[in-house]
Amino acid sequence: MNIFKDSGHLFKFAACFVIGFLIYLGLRGFVVPKTFGQYGHYRGSALKDIAAKPIKYAGHQVCEDCHTDQATAKSAGKHVTVNCEACHGALAAHANDPTSVIPVKPDPLVLCARCHTATAAKPKDFPQVNIDEHSGGAPCTMCHTNPHSPAMGAAPAAGGAK
Amino acid sequence: MNISRRHMLVLLPAAAVAWESVLAGTPENSPNYNMSEHWWGMLIQIPKCIGCGNCVRACATENDVPDGFFRTWVERYHVTDYNLTEPEVISPNGGKDGFPIVQEDAGKYFYVPKMCNACADSPCTQVCPVGATFVSPDGAVLVDQSYCLGCAYCVQACPYGCRYIHPQKHVADKCTLCYHRITKGLTTACVENCPTGARQLVNLKDPKDPIHAFLKTHTVQVLKPQMATNSKAFYYGLDGSVR
């Protein structure tokens, strides 16, 4: 008995299977993003897409490259841990184009109060005052002349660098 | 050239495989940034947080976070009568505009900055049905927004409530650990703008990072350790009442 008598049917079936598999491979190559699976079960190039977003805060190193006076004053005072943009706002635009993007000087009564308004909920060792009692509405910089190094009697802020 | 049917059967799959590798191309390396040298995490020191909300504002500015949604936020805890199980927690507008002034000094108050905990075994990435969210090789939990369907499985899977569906894009959005900044050698917007140094970005793969000395000498805690998320947001001085 010849068991391979009707093997022609099997070859046709196998050919259909192979063609189907090739169509699947072709579609898969077309549909699945190129970098899918590069690092794991996700699109590897998504990392590059996310990293390509432009920054808005330049970072204090960039500020200190030009504003050396302020950096020096700050490094000697209590505000050493406060980075430039924590008070002055996001200024990557200014760092990229220092002449046409001019930062707005913050209002001391608003800015200082954000951190230094007295409340029982703050850590006790953090310097805090009742602004109305403490200054009677006068701007903080009247006495604490250099906000970059806010101790009383510190050298006044250098006004030149903008 | 005469190709038999048998040759064709071999050649076609080979061509398909070759075409796939052509499509995949070679991965481009970011200049000066080597993913394998980083394993990002965060150190948050509760005793240093003054609840100024600078981190929340900075995050919203840097990442265009829509109003009413937060990638990071600050909670104020008030524990009275030593009742650790029922703390009074407020977070008005995520702490973006600061916190109401407290006059009386009953019980204890403290601020808890919250953000993506950068879990190494993140529950949020495990539930994604389409591979749109993942833990990057350098330890940031990211969303591929061009791939996300907006099904919000991940939003409900995050034990820390750190994800939301973006109201305009209708896809999942979350803290990226400022991936666009840390890959350029900068720190995150929240760390950059924290005036007291309560937040600290840490690279656990860098042997010179001060985090290693800190973790050796201080008692730190992660949020919801029972969830086994392998969180990399280390809290120093965390009270037992924090959920």
Side-chain angles (χ1 to χ4, degrees):
Chain A
M1 196 174 94
N2 182 7
I3 54 165
F4 298 110
K5 191 174 59 167
D6 298 321
S7 56
H9 297 298
L10 290 177
F11 281 122
K12 277 177 196 159
F13 184 77
C16 286
F17 181 81
V18 167
I19 289 166
F21 185 68
L22 290 179
I23 291 171
Y24 159 76
L25 277 185
L27 279 178
R28 192 181 180 281
F30 183 68
V31 172
V32 175
K34 289 183 227 169
T35 56
F36 201 92
Q38 187 184 352
Y39 304 113
H41 189 69
Y42 56 92
R43 206 167 55 91
S45 54
L47 289 170
K48 232 183 322 146
D49 296 351
I50 296 168
K53 193 176 167 346
I55 58 163
K56 293 189 181 160
Y57 286 89
H60 61 282
Q61 294 93 342
V62 175
C63 311
E64 287 162 5
D65 282 348
C66 298
H67 302 277
T68 44
D69 286 0
Q70 282 80 355
T72 317
K74 207 161 69 63
S75 66
K78 282 225 168 185
H79 279 168
V80 63
T81 58
V82 187
N83 288 333
C84 313
E85 288 161 308
C87 298
H88 293 279
L91 286 173
H94 169 68
N96 291 334
D97 188 359
T99 47
S100 57
V101 182
I102 305 293
V104 182
K105 213 171 207 178
D107 177 3
L109 274 175
V110 176
L111 182 73
C112 305
R114 260 188 212 154
C115 293
H116 293 290
T117 301
T119 161
K122 267 180 196 161
K124 300 289 168 283
D125 54 351
F126 185 77
Q128 41 194 310
V129 294
N130 182 328
I131 304 266
D132 290 336
E133 283 176 15
H134 184 75
S135 78
C140 314
T141 43
M142 201 170 82
C143 302
H144 304 274
T145 43
N146 188 349
H148 295 118
S149 178
M152 304 268 279
K162 278 207 171 165
Chain B
M1 195 162 120
N2 194 7
I3 298 176
S4 69
R5 183 184 292 178
R6 179 171 302 193
H7 282 126
M8 197 61 186
L9 284 178
V10 177
L11 278 174
L12 270 180
V17 170
W19 179 238
E20 271 215 45
S21 71
V22 167
L23 281 179
T26 41
E28 264 183 62
N29 295 319
S30 303
N32 306 324
Y33 182 77
N34 191 347
M35 269 198 293
S36 60
E37 289 172 2
H38 299 86
W39 189 240
W40 296 110
M42 190 66 85
L43 172 66
I44 297 169
Q45 302 187 43
I46 303 288
K48 284 190 178 180
C49 183
I50 57 169
C52 65
N54 243 9
C55 49
V56 187
R57 288 188 293 273
C59 175
T61 307
E62 179 73 37
N63 298 299
D64 304 310
V65 181
D67 273 346
F69 296 85
F70 303 96
R71 289 186 178 194
T72 184
W73 67 98
V74 181
E75 294 169 359
R76 186 171 79 189
Y77 276 67
H78 183 203
V79 182
T80 46
D81 304 326
Y82 313 105
N83 184 356
L84 288 184
T85 53
E86 287 167 3
E88 180 203 328
V89 187
I90 62 163
S91 185
N93 198 17
K96 211 183 211 174
D97 316 313
F99 288 84
I101 290 176
V102 180
Q103 301 293 354
E104 89 285 9
D105 203 359
K108 71 174 166 187
Y109 288 92
F110 53 90
Y111 299 95
V112 183
K114 296 251 179 110
M115 59 181 293
C116 171
N117 286 242
C119 309
D121 298 323
S122 54
C124 59
T125 61
Q126 291 168 30
V127 298
C128 181
V130 296
T133 183
F134 51 89
V135 182
S136 72
D138 40 1
V141 181
L142 301 172
V143 179
D144 180 355
Q145 294 196 328
S146 66
Y147 223 61
C148 175
L149 300 171
C151 73
Y153 277 16
C154 56
V155 175
Q156 55 113 32
C158 174
Y160 308 107
C162 295
R163 287 170 171 255
Y164 57 90
I165 295 294
H166 194 286
Q168 280 92 44
K169 298 182 194 164
H170 306 295
V171 291
D173 202 29
K174 68 177 290 296
C175 164
T176 61
L177 215 58
C178 279
Y179 199 71
H180 59 300
R181 296 177 60 85
I182 59 178
T183 51
K184 294 184 181 86
L186 296 163
T187 188
T188 66
C190 56
V191 170
E192 177 72 31
N193 286 283
C194 178
T196 61
R199 290 173 182 246
Q200 208 175 309
L201 179 73
V202 297
N203 176 8
L204 296 164
K205 269 194 187 171
D206 180 3
K208 281 181 273 178
D209 196 301
I211 182 66
H212 302 296
F214 191 93
L215 292 180
K216 272 183 194 167
T217 51
H218 293 74
T219 45
V220 293
Q221 178 62 287
V222 294
L223 295 177
K224 299 188 183 175
Q226 73 276 14
M227 301 295 290
T229 57
N230 218 342
S231 156
K232 290 186 267 97
F234 303 104
Y235 282 85
Y236 167 64
L238 191 73
D239 194 77
S241 61
V242 177
R243 296 286 171 263

